[in-house]
Amino acid sequence: MLIDGKPYRSIWREPDGDAVRVIDQTLLPHAFETTLLRTPADAARAITTMQVRGAPLIGATAAYGLAFAMREDPSDGNLARASAALLATRPTAVNLRWALERMQSVLQPLGAQARAAAAFTEAELLCEEDVATNAAIGRHGLSLIEAAASLAPGRPVRILTHCNAGWLATVDWGTALAPIYMAHDRGLPLHVWVDETRPRNQGAALTAWELGRHGVPHALIVDNAGGHLMQHGRVDLCLVGADRVTRQGDVANKIGTYLKALAAHDNGVPFYVALPSSTIDWRITDGLTEIPIEERAEAEVLEVAGRMADGGGQAMRVRIAPPETPAANFAFDVTPARLIGGLITERGVCPASASALATLFPDLALPA
Ligand code: MRU
């Protein structure tokens, strides 16, 4: 997508082929800096420190991490070790496991000498497919926005989104934001309500930044404002992403997504989840009991990161609770399928149900 008119992806291979470059998302929106990844440890660190984040981008970065590992040592032992180390970086987004298993299935049958080249080729292919997949999600989701526009003649369609499911969270386009970019590019008037998404503020730092760079009208709201806006008829559509979707359509996404779905349900606001099929975990059914929920450092809750609003804009962290206060930091929650109006996938929009998902993806669904 565009940054000040220049097209970017969130991850790309350097011209010499030796390394990949990613946008350091921990520095946004205050600084746009890129960083080089050359080793499996670099890739793992970028994921754990959240320089890269978002389910599809985590998978793409891990794929390159495995390619770096094969360049260092293409043995079976190292393939297993590097895969395990990368898999351990973050627990909830299943795209990580999906990408590593895809890479392993390509690499395992090969002789050691062929693995490094094949791994880079496959990682690159995975990234290209991610872009095409998200573009398809965008086209399918666009029809939902067009339908909402036909019910709101003469005013913008008002869409609420949570966290960042934009191009920064994928290789390009994004999932939940792909239909928004496509609608905007076609001249459909839109207004996006951006949840700030405590504690890491992916909405404030990343979604607002992306939308702003692309010229999409939006306003940042505090996480608790969505219910109020829905009660007052000021949201036409909720569009969010996903980190793991079960075979019956339960959705794990950034903490707070469930509360938005509840408010949408109570107010008759359509609530849609956009996801590539790589986010579906066909091995599990019940999201509440079977999806591992990441728990992160309490400092993310107890402190707020930002820049001094005046006095030179120095980066800083500010403590917001008494020094002795402990915190709990659950990074994701699960929205049950019954609260979801539909799933927007690369193959089309379907109800959040086991039968609809199996019908749309007969080649991927595992037998019940
Ligand atoms: O902790 P993060 O920033 O990796 O969480 C990201 C999200 O929850 C996104 O909504 C999700 O990965 C979908 S990205 C297309």
Side-chain angles (χ1 to χ4, degrees), residues 134 137 169 200 205 216 253 341:
N134 298 328
I137 289 171
R200 289 188 66 96
V216 180
N253 191 48

Side-chain angles (χ1 to χ4, degrees), residues 29-156:
H30 308 298
F32 179 84
E33 284 180 25
T34 61
T35 186
L36 277 181
L37 313 179
R38 290 181 197 280
T39 67
D42 287 346
R45 195 179 324 106
I47 298 171
T48 48
T49 61
M50 292 180 68
Q51 285 180 312
V52 297
R53 30 66 54 202
L57 181 58
I58 290 170
T61 306
Y64 275 115
L66 212 49
F68 298 143
M70 291 300 90
R71 186 172 57 196
E72 286 178 356
D73 168 7
S75 66
D76 285 352
N78 197 40
L79 180 56
R81 274 192 304 278
S83 300
L86 287 159
L87 185 62
T89 50
R90 290 192 74 190
T92 302
V94 78
N95 306 62
L96 176 60
R97 185 185 80 200
W98 170 86
L100 290 168
E101 288 183 352
R102 171 173 163 164
M103 295 291 289
Q104 283 170 300
S105 73
V106 168
L107 300 174
Q108 238 140 19
L110 300 178
Q113 75 293 344
R115 281 182 176 166
F120 278 104
T121 303
E122 191 63 19
E124 219 154 313
L125 183 64
L126 186 151
C127 288
E128 291 306 322
E129 284 178 15
D130 184 69
V131 178
T133 293
N134 298 328
I137 289 171
R139 287 191 293 274
H140 293 302
L142 173 62
S143 57
L144 295 172
I145 299 180
E146 286 170 339
S150 68
L151 299 174
R155 66 159 173 83

Side-chain angles (χ1 to χ4, degrees), residues 52 77 234 237 341:
V52 297
R234 298 182 65 184
L237 186 66

Side-chain angles (χ1 to χ4, degrees), residues 50 53-56 90 163-165 169-170 175 202 241-243 253-254 332:
M50 292 180 68
R53 30 66 54 202
R90 290 192 74 190
C163 193
N164 172 260
T170 64
T175 56
Q202 287 94 331
D243 290 86
N253 191 48
K254 183 53 57 191
F332 299 93

Side-chain angles (χ1 to χ4, degrees), residues 145-159 187-191 193 232-237:
I145 299 180
E146 286 170 339
S150 68
L151 299 174
R155 66 159 173 83
V157 179
R158 300 150 315 175
I159 302 169
L188 240 152
L190 300 172
H191 177 83
W193 296 115
H232 289 269
R234 298 182 65 184
V235 181
D236 300 307
L237 186 66

